[in-house]
Amino acid sequence: MSGQTGSTAATAAVEGRGVRFSYPAKRSARRRGGPVPPALAGVDFQVAAGEIFGFLGPNGGGKTTLFRILATLARPESGTVRVFGADLATQAREVRRRLGVVFQSPSLDLQLTVRENLVHQGHLHGLAGRDLAARIADGLERFGLTERVDQRTAELSGGLRRRVEIAKALLHAPRLLLLDEPSTGLDPGARHDLWETLESLRSQGVTVLLTTHFMEEGDRCDRLVLLSRGTIVAEGTPAALKEEIGGDVITLTGRDPQALARDLAALHPELAPVVQDGAVRLERERGHELAARLAEALPGRIESVTVARPSLEDVFLRRTGHRLFDEGEEAP
Amino acid sequence: MTGLAAATLWRRELTRFFRQPSRIAGAVGTPLIFWLLLGSGLSGSFRLPGGPAGLSYFQYFFPGTIVLVLLFAAIFSNISVIEDRHQGFLQGVLVAPVSRSTLVAGKVLGGATLAWIQGVVFLALAPLSGVHLTAGSALAAVGILAVLALSLTALGFAFAWKLDSVQGFHAIMNVVLMPMWLLSGAFFPVSGAPFWLGALMRLNPLTYGVAALRGVLYGPATAPGLPGPAVSLAVTLAMGLAAFAAGLLATRGGRVD
């Protein structure tokens, strides 16, 4: 796992400074007169070369907007993004040469075969002849697609199509691979294969940057940022982020959570209980011992007690005050 | 490298076309039916004002029908611009190190090639309309068809790039390209039209393409009231360049999604 020490400016694969982006206001929003919040409210981030870096957040948090900016498909209103030192605003072509992109929605031509898709992609990147043929053969082999090469991509399963997408994105040997929600729509087996691929790419020095709303996927990143409502609410390794919670997360439910929290605070002010989503939440070391004591101290008031190791979801909750999936949807 | 990228996009248009035989039927079949029905129905009552006697409506309408074939082919092929956007293929092209002009060149040349092939196939029906093609006139017609195919495809592309739905594109094509064709002298001659209509027809750049084609097939006397072949050809070429520029311009704007 590469730590924060690796992310100095000299080795940064991607560096964003004050990246801000707003979608044009919808007519209905303008009529209401309310200001439209920016999709990205000036974010700073740095991705070290050779790490797997995640943008974790709910839909509408801004991660897809950030992905589109990094993929050179959208221009930030203000701020700068550099990819291996090349400025996205002025050197988009340079950036595109080094960039492999896997979109959430497929970018394959379903009427064409696997090989035809790869050949067109190679040509778009200036590859041809024997070099291209060798790269295609390698890619097919690597992703177990050799036998599918003359099948139309429309006939392939979702998992196989995603493999073709990744083979396509890697054909020109990019130094940075960008993936938007790569696990969406994949069964657990295909998801497992995907992560093996990403880890093997990392071992070859490829920088991997992905967006996700799955906590488990955030856990597998070397480093990640949590995005909420267009701002970065936390940044670090998954372990470091979870350490800030300290101990366990205890969740209590009861008929009247507000009263339960009040009584708990009266008994143990140091616990600082918080009501969230109709449950009382505490963070405490050796949570199971405390849970048993609380159940005795407030007989009949507690309906259920859960003690868990903190997850990235808890980090998100602590930083934003709301859960990962509660944020309203906005324009993609 | 730019050439390779444009060539691969061109090639893709052709591959996709030949995998959808229904497209051929649509682009050639409809004009063929128009030509047979309207040609048969109107032949008895048609006389070209100011033109040579003995030119049947079948014959008069034939070049117009070929232009209709090009028009339909251009519309059909540009639907793929919208489909590429919806089905995601376009986003992959947009993140490749390829300029917008390369993208326009590949797509438009691909569509124009298909339109041109269909037009040439239809041209081979010329003996049925009672016209005798010489090697020279056939070659000239094939050249004019190429320029017209490019113009119409590029024009369709400029609209297709800006539109989100196939339905919307069809609607726009019905109020832009179809009237352009109706007022091009393809269907009825400038010389017999009322003054206001004739003026509109003379403003329509497509009129000159149709006149050039008709002139090549039947002689310049069959385009009464219009300038000679040199001017017609020049206007047609200029229209092609302008349409291509419009296609390029369409991709310049802020729209990147």
Side-chain angles (χ1 to χ4, degrees):
Chain A
M1 196 175 285
S2 77
Q4 250 113 342
T5 48
S7 58
T8 59
T11 57
V14 187
E15 194 179 13
R17 286 274 163 269
V19 181
R20 189 185 161 84
F21 187 92
S22 306
Y23 287 99
K26 287 198 186 98
R27 210 168 290 154
S28 56
R30 272 200 305 256
R31 213 179 299 128
R32 281 200 304 272
V36 180
L40 287 174
V43 297
D44 299 313
F45 58 92
Q46 204 167 53
V47 181
E51 69 179 349
I52 299 182
F53 190 92
F55 292 132
L56 175 66
N59 292 330
K63 59 189 183 332
T64 294
T65 305
L66 204 45
F67 169 86
R68 292 174 52 73
I69 288 172
L70 290 171
T72 72
L73 288 175
R75 286 201 190 107
E77 262 166 71
S78 59
T80 55
V81 182
R82 289 179 174 276
V83 176
F84 298 111
D87 190 333
L88 265 183
T90 55
Q91 295 164 281
R93 187 87 69 100
E94 283 307 304
V95 172
R96 286 174 189 159
R97 276 188 234 286
R98 298 166 191 176
L99 194 66
V101 184
V102 179
F103 295 93
Q104 187 182 349
S105 55
S107 72
L108 299 176
D109 186 331
L110 296 180
Q111 291 188 36
L112 301 185
T113 64
V114 172
R115 188 198 303 282
E116 286 167 336
N117 269 290
L118 294 176
V119 166
H120 285 308
Q121 173 76 0
H123 288 169
L124 289 175
H125 279 270
L127 303 168
R130 251 183 234 165
D131 175 36
L132 178 58
R135 283 167 189 258
I136 289 176
D138 282 352
L140 293 171
E141 171 87 40
R142 173 178 196 170
F143 292 100
L145 293 164
T146 308
E147 282 165 20
R148 311 284 187 163
V149 65
D150 292 317
Q151 241 175 305
R152 287 196 201 176
T153 50
E155 298 165 8
L156 302 181
S157 67
L160 281 172
R161 275 188 214 168
R162 194 65 56 98
R163 280 198 247 165
V164 182
E165 292 276 357
I166 297 176
K168 180 181 162 185
L170 291 173
L171 200 59
H172 61 289
R175 290 171 64 193
L176 172 66
L177 184 65
L178 263 183
L179 306 101
D180 192 17
E181 300 277 355
S183 296
T184 302
L186 294 190
D187 60 49
R191 209 173 278 190
H192 175 80
D193 291 348
L194 170 76
W195 273 90
E196 291 213 321
T197 303
L198 298 184
E199 279 156 13
S200 103
L201 284 169
R202 173 180 59 189
S203 70
Q204 292 159 33
V206 177
T207 307
V208 177
L209 213 169
L210 57 96
T211 70
T212 182
H213 63 266
F214 294 116
M215 283 178 296
E216 315 81 67
E217 216 155 49
D219 271 318
R220 298 189 73 160
C221 294
D222 296 325
R223 286 195 312 127
L224 72 157
V225 293
L226 299 185
L227 275 164
S228 169
R229 296 181 181 161
T231 58
I232 289 174
V233 293
E235 176 176 6
T237 65
L241 286 173
K242 287 187 281 192
E243 260 165 38
E244 75 177 44
I245 303 260
D248 299 313
V249 175
I250 305 164
T251 312
L252 308 171
T253 64
R255 262 189 304 280
D256 185 353
Q258 297 291 352
L260 189 58
R262 248 191 335 266
D263 296 348
L264 264 176
L267 277 172
H268 298 282
E270 76 285 0
L271 289 178
V274 193
V275 178
Q276 256 151 1
D277 298 320
V280 181
R281 232 177 131 269
L282 317 163
E283 290 163 9
R284 188 72 172 177
E285 278 176 54
R286 292 204 299 280
H288 51 282
E289 292 174 13
L290 177 69
R293 287 216 314 275
L294 291 179
E296 281 170 27
L298 296 163
R301 301 279 306 279
I302 298 170
E303 284 172 1
S304 78
V305 182
T306 324
V307 180
R309 299 296 301 160
S311 66
L312 288 171
E313 167 102 51
D314 295 310
V315 178
F316 190 84
L317 193 54
R318 185 189 174 103
R319 292 291 183 108
T320 64
H322 46 93
R323 301 175 64 84
L324 205 46
F325 296 102
D326 281 353
E327 295 198 356
E329 301 266 328
E330 63 171 51
Chain B
M1 175 169 159
T2 295
L4 183 63
T8 211
L9 292 172
W10 172 83
R11 174 78 193 272
R12 172 173 171 263
E13 293 300 311
L14 268 61
T15 309
R16 285 169 62 92
F17 177 80
F18 290 109
R19 290 201 182 149
Q20 295 168 285
S22 58
R23 270 177 68 181
I24 310 176
V28 178
T30 314
L32 185 65
I33 293 167
F34 271 35
W35 179 54
L36 290 176
L37 297 184
L38 290 173
S40 310
L42 291 170
S43 259
S45 48
F46 177 80
R47 188 189 58 81
L48 179 61
L55 185 74
S56 75
Y57 191 70
F58 248 131
Q59 288 166 322
Y60 177 83
F61 193 32
F62 184 66
T65 313
I66 298 183
V67 174
L68 188 62
V69 170
L70 298 184
L71 187 86
F72 279 157
I75 292 174
F76 278 126
S77 71
N78 278 309
I79 286 174
S80 79
V81 174
I82 296 165
E83 284 177 349
D84 282 353
R85 195 186 284 286
H86 283 185
Q87 293 168 4
F89 182 82
L90 183 66
Q91 56 189 359
V93 179
L94 292 178
V95 300
V98 167
S99 67
R100 290 295 160 83
S101 50
T102 303
L103 166 66
V104 179
K107 285 294 281 190
V108 170
L109 286 176
T113 303
L114 293 171
W116 178 74
I117 292 172
Q118 293 167 70
V120 170
V121 167
F122 208 90
L123 181 66
L125 300 176
L128 291 182
S129 83
V131 69
H132 177 67
L133 281 177
T134 64
S137 67
L139 210 63
V142 162
I144 292 168
L145 288 184
V147 179
L148 280 173
L150 194 67
S151 307
L152 293 170
T153 310
L155 201 60
F157 178 91
F159 285 102
W161 186 269
K162 294 286 186 188
L163 294 168
D164 278 319
S165 75
V166 174
Q167 290 87 341
F169 178 65
H170 274 302
I172 296 289
M173 292 297 97
N174 280 339
V175 296
V176 177
L177 282 192
M178 279 310 281
M180 232 176 124
W181 176 79
L182 283 171
L183 297 181
S184 68
F187 199 43
F188 52 83
V190 176
S191 50
F195 172 77
W196 63 273
L197 197 58
L200 271 180
M201 290 171 79
R202 284 189 178 86
L203 285 176
N204 178 3
L206 191 57
T207 302
Y208 301 89
V210 175
L213 186 60
R214 187 172 286 128
V216 160
L217 294 178
Y218 307 121
T222 52
L226 288 171
V231 175
S232 288
L233 207 59
V235 173
T236 307
L237 272 170
M239 175 189 160
L241 290 175
F244 198 79
L248 271 182
L249 208 64
T251 62
R252 291 282 145 168
R255 174 157 196 174
V256 284
D257 51 345

